């Protein structure tokens, strides 16, 4: 297991190096001068030259890249052109909001997908299966922005139950945090839940047709016991895989949802940085999102061994 983790960490470092190289190269291809853009009407030749030197733009590209990678290895991702703040501090300030939203959205998705997917598979071809299929297709078809606006109009505008937007840290006021969390989490949870429902249904259906399940039923085991011990446990591997992908996607930032609900997360920070051509922030957010993807994938691989004892990582 230790060798497996070390090998995956080494692979992750190589992947992050490749991501940093691609992002740095793409940023260089974007037309326009970000320093000139950030100064706007305050343009002054001396200030412009000082900012270019501070950002390292006066050096050759290979030197700029090596300087950026060297700084990233020590946690220094540069300074924002727009705000003047260190990029690492900006990312760490936004990460808790995105992390809490992603986990709550995933919880909502699992609460929707697990019962719907299992019932749909266990009663395949029945009216319950058709209803679950229609519900999941509706969930996949609904755009994020439409769901968000509908929830705001109903729960905030019509009934006045929840605040329409904003964010309160959990450490400051748990009740206010929960009230601000409901609508964004439900918005992303409905779409993710609809996707997960289809995968859970397929995984459970495949397990139901396995030989060991038929053997268990022929031995007279109760259906609930067969479902818990032999069906769900074997269906967990593909479910964990898809759930991990969904979590990594949510951690990458749900830009539309964060903008509509004025959520101070990574997605909104990325959008603001792209609009302002704030390249250090864009590069930092891409690296952070890539690192989160790799971390979630590693955790998913480790869960495989915990769920299925046949899986070993000794080689």
């Amino acid at each position: 297991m230790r060798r497996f983790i070390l090998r995956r960490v080494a692979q992750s470092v190589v992947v992050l190096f490749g991501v940093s190289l691609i992002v740095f190269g793409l940023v260089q291809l974007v037309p326009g001068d970000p320093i000139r853009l950030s100064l706007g009407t305050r343009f002054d030749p001396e200030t412009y030259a000082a900012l270019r030197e501070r950002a390292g733009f006066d050096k050759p590209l290979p030197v700029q890249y090596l300087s950026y990678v060297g700084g990233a290895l020590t946690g220094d991702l540069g300074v924002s052109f727009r705000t003047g703040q260190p990029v690492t501090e900006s990312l760490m300030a936004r990460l808790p909001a995105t992390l809490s939203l992603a986990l709550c959205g995933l919880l909502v998705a699992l609460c929707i997908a697990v019962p719907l997917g299992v019932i749909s598979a266990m009663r395949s071809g029945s009216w319950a299966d058709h209803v679950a299929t229609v519900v999941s297709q509706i969930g996949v078809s609904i755009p994020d922005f439409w769901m968000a606006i509908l929830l705001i109009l109903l729960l905030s505008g019509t009934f006045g139950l929840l605040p329409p937007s904003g964010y309160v840290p959990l450490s400051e006021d748990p009740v206010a945090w929960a009230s601000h969390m409901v609508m964004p989490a439900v918005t992303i949870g409905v779409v993710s839940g609809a996707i997960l429902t289809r995968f859970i249904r397929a995984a459970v259906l495949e397990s139901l047709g396995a030989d060991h399940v038929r053997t268990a039923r022929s031995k007279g085991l109760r259906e609930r016991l067969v479902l818990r011990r032999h069906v769900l446990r074997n269906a967990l591997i593909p479910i964990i895989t898809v759930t991990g992908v969904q979590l990594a996607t949510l951690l990458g930032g749900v830009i539309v949802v964060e903008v509509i609900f004025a959520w101070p997360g990574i997605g909104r920070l990325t959008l603001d940085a792209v609009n302002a051509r704030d390249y250090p922030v864009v590069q930092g957010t891409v690296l952070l999102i890539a690192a989160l993807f790799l971390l979630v994938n590693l955790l998913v691989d480790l869960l495989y061994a915990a769920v299925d004892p046949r899986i070993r990582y000794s080689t």
Side-chain angles (χ1 to χ4, degrees), residues 14-95:
V14 174
V15 171
L16 286 176
F17 178 78
V19 170
S20 69
L21 184 61
I22 293 172
V23 174
F24 183 83
L26 291 176
V27 164
Q28 301 305 318
L29 295 176
V30 177
D33 188 337
I35 302 293
R36 180 70 179 267
L37 184 66
S38 65
L39 289 175
T41 57
R42 302 169 298 160
F43 178 79
D44 175 69
E46 293 183 357
T47 304
Y48 175 76
L51 289 177
R52 277 186 61 84
E53 183 178 358
R54 181 183 177 186
F57 287 180
D58 58 335
K59 300 174 183 175
L61 286 179
V63 176
Q64 291 184 37
Y65 176 70
L66 292 177
S67 175
Y68 177 73
V69 172
L73 291 175
T74 60
D76 181 9
L77 296 173
V79 178
S80 169
F81 294 156
R82 186 166 54 96
T83 63
Q85 294 180 338
V87 175
T88 305
E89 288 185 9
S90 299
L91 293 176
M92 292 302 103
R94 300 295 187 103
L95 187 58

